[in-house]
Amino acid sequence: MSASKHIVVVGAGLIGLSCALGLRQRGCRVTLVEQGSRPEVTAEPGLRVSALNHASRTLLQELGVWQQLPLQRLGPYTGMQVWENNSFADIAFHAEQIGTDDLGAIVENQVLEQALWDAAEQAGVTIIANTKVQQWQQDHQGATLQLADQQLQGDYVIAADGVRSQLRSWAELPVTFWDYEQRGLVAVIASELPHQGVARQAFLPTGPLALLPLADPHLCSMVWSCDEDLAQELLQLQQTQPEQFQRRLQVASNGILGNLTVDSAVASFPLQMQYAQQWVHERLILVGDAAHSIHPLAGQGANLGFADVAVLIEAFTATEQRQLNRALQAYQRERKAAALTMIAAMEAFKRGFGTSQPLLQLLRGVGFTLANKTPPLKRWLTKVALGEV
Ligand SMILES: Cc1cc2nc3c(=O)[nH]c(=O)nc-3n(C[C@H](O)[C@H](O)[C@H](O)COP(=O)(O)OP(=O)(O)OC[C@H]3O[C@@H](n4cnc5c(N)ncnc54)[C@H](O)[C@@H]3O)c2cc1C
């Protein structure tokens, strides 16, 4: 049945591209509409990276894309270290504790998007680039999309158009939303000491700072989440007194990688939590950031999106319409529950670490020390991070 379906995917980010490719591989006719163009890969590491877990890697291997990624642009990490600067809370994970080679890999979004784009084209996905969807309507049978110079009819439309999804707004799907009033500052950082393949995260009262290891042993990707005021101050400092910015970064990271130098521009993204209350509405399906977006402190946004894709593309192997309807309802139920669990966990983490209340700080320190010294608990936490639980 899927071979006779025409699916229109809107948005060629990591999630829309993998969804389009997976559906095409399962026999659907797929058209992908993207307002931008094929991603360019620059010689220097890109500013946006994702820490991908084993579950995401397995999906990308099954799609045949992981194998195409240039090894010199992949940063596998074998350790994770999380600590709090002003308490004794500290926890470390190592791949060998759970008998794996690594805990995941840091991948530049532009590198992965380009590989997915090329694979989708080769598989026969029709990509309409540099075109914005202008209007949309649907009924029980299908949907019609109005582009600048043509109309597209699809049996289903998949909205993978990101956190500000236009399709979700047109469908008037209610969204639960809160603004963290924080920004994520991202940059490539050169470190004096080698990162040794360890993903590091320091919790500061103003928000977490992550240093994620890139393929070069002396380059990390920085994700520094901080309150709006501090973010503006730091961005200003980077413009006017870059050495002062570097000094602040070094202090925030507890000097763990020695002297740090900013090796790129510094970009910033507003951080917000949101999830749509309905993910499947007649012939419209939400996926990835269009359905949910979370704080980047645990690096799980894209991982959640890839897990959506794994379930959604299997739903379209249904052999009759009633079976497909049931599979789509199951997609909505399962994936929404997974996203809400992750959102709640991130919120607890963020609120727990966001306080400088002495008693909570003490409890946190004790909790971390216990977790660090309790192998079964630590193994479980590691599996959660790998997307295996
Ligand atoms: C600072 C930061 C760090 C992060 N780090 C991690 C991490 O380490 N690990 C992790 O798993 N996640 C991470 N995330 C989250 C992750 O980046 C996102 O969850 C993921 O990129 C979302 O992908 P997407 O394809 O759903 O959406 P997007 O990447 O936003 O793609 C949406 C696409 O739709 C297109 N589009 C939008 N509207 C239209 C339209 N009307 N017509 C046509 N095209 C349209 C856009 O051009 C875009 O290409 C991080 C996020 C931030 C902000």
Side-chain angles (χ1 to χ4, degrees), residues 44-90:
E44 297 77 37
L47 290 187
R48 285 295 298 272
V49 305
S50 299
L52 296 188
N53 63 24
H54 287 182
S56 299
R57 179 161 67 195
T58 301
L59 172 76
L60 291 164
Q61 278 166 342
E62 283 165 8
L63 294 175
V65 170
W66 189 265
Q67 301 80 326
Q68 305 300 325
L69 297 176
L71 284 179
Q72 70 276 17
R73 303 299 284 259
L74 281 182
Y77 54 99
T78 50
M80 278 195 277
Q81 189 183 359
V82 180
W83 73 93
E84 191 178 43
N85 273 6
N86 50 1
S87 85
F88 59 96
D90 193 337

Side-chain angles (χ1 to χ4, degrees), residues 11 13-15 34-35 48 50-51 133 160-162 289 296 299-303:
L14 292 174
I15 304 310
E34 165 58 41
Q35 62 186 4
R48 285 295 298 272
S50 299
V133 177
D161 50 348
D289 273 20
Q300 291 298 333
N303 287 314

Side-chain angles (χ1 to χ4, degrees), residues 42-49 73 108-111 187-188 214 221:
T42 50
E44 297 77 37
L47 290 187
R48 285 295 298 272
V49 305
R73 303 299 284 259
E108 296 166 49
N109 289 13
Q110 59 179 15
V111 171
V188 177
L214 296 174
S221 173

Side-chain angles (χ1 to χ4, degrees), residues 31-36 117 126-131 147 150 152:
T31 305
L32 177 59
V33 185
E34 165 58 41
Q35 62 186 4
W117 184 291
T126 304
I127 303 185
I128 305 177
N130 302 308
T131 306
L147 311 184
Q150 61 176 305
L152 284 178

Side-chain angles (χ1 to χ4, degrees), residues 163-164 177-182 270-274 293-295:
V163 68
R164 277 180 286 278
F177 167 93
W178 73 79
D179 193 335
Y180 290 117
E181 293 175 357
Q182 287 202 330
L271 302 181
Q272 38 188 248
M273 182 295 291
Q274 71 176 30
S293 81
I294 62 172
H295 198 286

Side-chain angles (χ1 to χ4, degrees), residues 1 125 140 153 185 219 221 230 255 266 299 301 332 356 364 386:
M1 185 196 73
V125 172
H140 298 299
Q153 307 274 350
L185 271 48
L219 286 185
S221 173
L230 178 60
V266 178
Q332 168 168 261
S356 47
R364 237 167 21 225
L386 296 181

